[in-house]
Amino acid sequence: MLSDAGPDAPLVTAMRARELGRKSVVVGDRVALVGDTSGAAGALARIVRIAERTSVLRRTADDDETTAEGRLERVVVANADQLVIVSALADPPPRTGFIDRCLVAAYDAGIEPLLCLTKADLAGPEAVLGYYAELELPYVLVRPDSDLDALRSLLAGRISVLVGHSGVGKSTLVNRLVPDAARAVGTVSAIGRGRHTSTSAVALRLPRLPDRDDGARQPPSGAARPGADPGWIVDTPGVRSFGLAHVSADSLLHGFPDLVEGTVDCPANCPHTPDAPGCGLDAWVAAGKADPRRLASYRRLLASRAGEGDARGEPDQRNPGDPLAGS
Ligand SMILES: Nc1nc2c(ncn2[C@@H]2O[C@H](COP(=O)(O)OP(=O)(O)OP(=O)(O)O)[C@@H](O)[C@H]2O)c(=O)[nH]1
Ligand SMILES: [Mg+2]
């Protein structure tokens, strides 16, 4: 995107200049261009510089940094300031383990999370919201007939990136938010997995917020006013998992703010694992200060990072009684 381009700036096609070497340009990067930036048909500019990134959202193919897959780090998007974690309430079913991973990645990258629960016409949000009751996690519910005003005002003035499993409705949502986006949308197969319809990330400028003259429908306080920068939205391909090999064991806890206070009385360098002597988390949960499923999720992540087998996979094999927990 052109860093100083206003909403009406032309769309410019540009190639990466050779002098950038192996430095890669990712979606969301702010770049300096030379050459023909008119946006006219056939015009080609060159990207000669990539501005310093204000945030980098990364994921790895695997959690274990000792494996080749764990070291394979992918930058999802640069300069995002909001991570919109998109989860369907059904078809495919929500997986709190996945959402927890996204929260860890968001806090690690300094990006604010927003939970977007789609397909609210198919199932209710109570189970997912109950799991996050101790967190002040902002959320929106989306159904095919819902108006998107609340979401639009949360997106205004920001660069937001959508992440989620395949088939949860990311591109459907982008097409509703950006009417000329024309993102392909897929079908979800009987086994509940989407077909990875979107294959690359794309940043789109959101349309201007409509001017409203009826006082009753003003956006919530703190939200952007009509006429302000409506923001950008980045659609991404569905991911099967959100590997966290790049996040240190200490930083994993940042994704669990509801557990942090439970660690203040832990012995120095407590690993917080189930067998750690004196770990305060068990007592914290036993006292009802946090949901035991959240502690189980955190410890699954710790174990997964330590290479103790993959904590992902089918949830019913690992978490009998907790069908939500998978990732
Ligand atoms: N019932 C219902 N179906 C929805 C809703 N949102 C999306 N869908 C359907 O879900 C299917 C998958 O939607 P997509 O938008 O392609 O999903 P995606 O997250 O972009 O998937 P990938 O590109 O594969 O990552 C489509 O058939 C949509 O029509 C919703 O709110 N309710
Ligand atoms: Mg898609």
Side-chain angles (χ1 to χ4, degrees):
M1 69 181 80
L2 291 166
S3 57
D4 53 359
D8 305 313
L11 207 56
V12 174
T13 304
M15 277 176 64
R16 193 168 59 113
R18 195 168 294 153
E19 57 260 40
L20 280 176
R22 288 164 56 97
K23 232 180 176 180
S24 59
V25 185
V26 301
V27 169
D29 266 327
R30 294 189 170 86
V31 299
L33 298 176
V34 298
D36 188 343
T37 58
S38 66
L44 190 62
R46 272 187 310 141
I47 299 171
V48 290
R49 192 166 46 78
I50 302 170
E52 206 177 315
R53 296 167 179 165
T54 56
S55 74
V56 182
L57 179 69
R58 305 168 202 276
R59 70 181 185 96
T60 51
D62 195 301
D63 285 332
D64 185 352
E65 60 188 351
T66 63
T67 66
E69 289 227 295
R71 284 189 298 267
L72 184 66
E73 194 176 287
R74 299 160 206 217
V75 172
V76 180
V77 66
N79 299 316
D81 39 35
Q82 183 161 247
L83 180 66
V84 184
I85 306 165
V86 186
S87 172
L89 289 164
D91 193 22
R95 300 284 192 224
T96 53
F98 177 83
I99 299 171
D100 288 347
R101 286 169 172 274
C102 293
L103 289 174
V104 169
Y107 290 117
D108 186 64
I111 301 175
E112 282 185 51
L114 169 65
L115 181 59
C116 178
L117 298 172
T118 58
K119 310 199 189 186
D121 52 316
L122 302 181
E126 297 75 21
V128 177
L129 294 179
Y131 177 83
Y132 291 107
E134 255 84 45
L135 258 74
E136 280 170 33
L137 181 60
Y139 71 91
V140 286
L141 295 181
V142 176
R143 44 194 300 157
D145 58 354
S146 56
D147 85 53
L148 299 176
D149 290 355
L151 178 59
R152 279 203 182 88
S153 55
L154 289 164
L155 299 176
R158 296 169 148 184
I159 300 173
S160 301
V161 52
L162 303 178
V163 295
H165 288 311
S166 185
V168 295
K170 298 177 295 297
S171 300
T172 302
L173 192 56
V174 165
N175 285 339
R176 290 183 64 197
L177 290 165
V178 187
D180 52 5
R183 294 290 282 165
V185 298
T187 49
V188 178
S189 67
I191 55 163
R193 296 209 193 286
R195 295 183 312 177
H196 295 271
T197 305
S198 305
T199 51
S200 59
V202 173
L204 297 157
R205 186 184 282 283
L206 290 156
R208 277 183 217 277
L209 298 171
D211 278 313
R212 298 198 187 101
D213 36 33
D214 55 328
R217 297 188 64 210
Q218 286 297 313
S221 62
R225 299 281 151 216
D229 167 21
W232 287 80
I233 188 112
V234 182
D235 188 15
T236 66
V239 292
R240 199 158 290 158
S241 64
F242 209 110
L244 294 171
H246 59 290
V247 178
S248 72
D250 284 349
S251 299
L252 284 183
L253 191 58
H254 297 153
F256 295 82
D258 46 335
L259 299 180
V260 171
E261 215 185 312
T263 64
V264 293
D265 295 327
C266 282
N269 303 319
C270 177
H272 309 312
T273 49
D275 52 356
C279 177
L281 286 173
D282 301 277
W284 182 253
V285 164
K289 302 281 179 61
D291 191 320
R293 296 172 299 173
R294 290 276 294 162
L295 177 56
S297 176
Y298 168 58
R299 285 184 168 157
R300 270 198 302 278
L301 280 181
L302 282 175
S304 178
R305 281 202 82 267
E308 288 172 26
D310 193 343
R312 287 173 266 162
E314 290 309 312
D316 43 353
Q317 290 161 13
R318 308 183 318 268
N319 310 290
D322 189 1
L324 278 183
S327 54

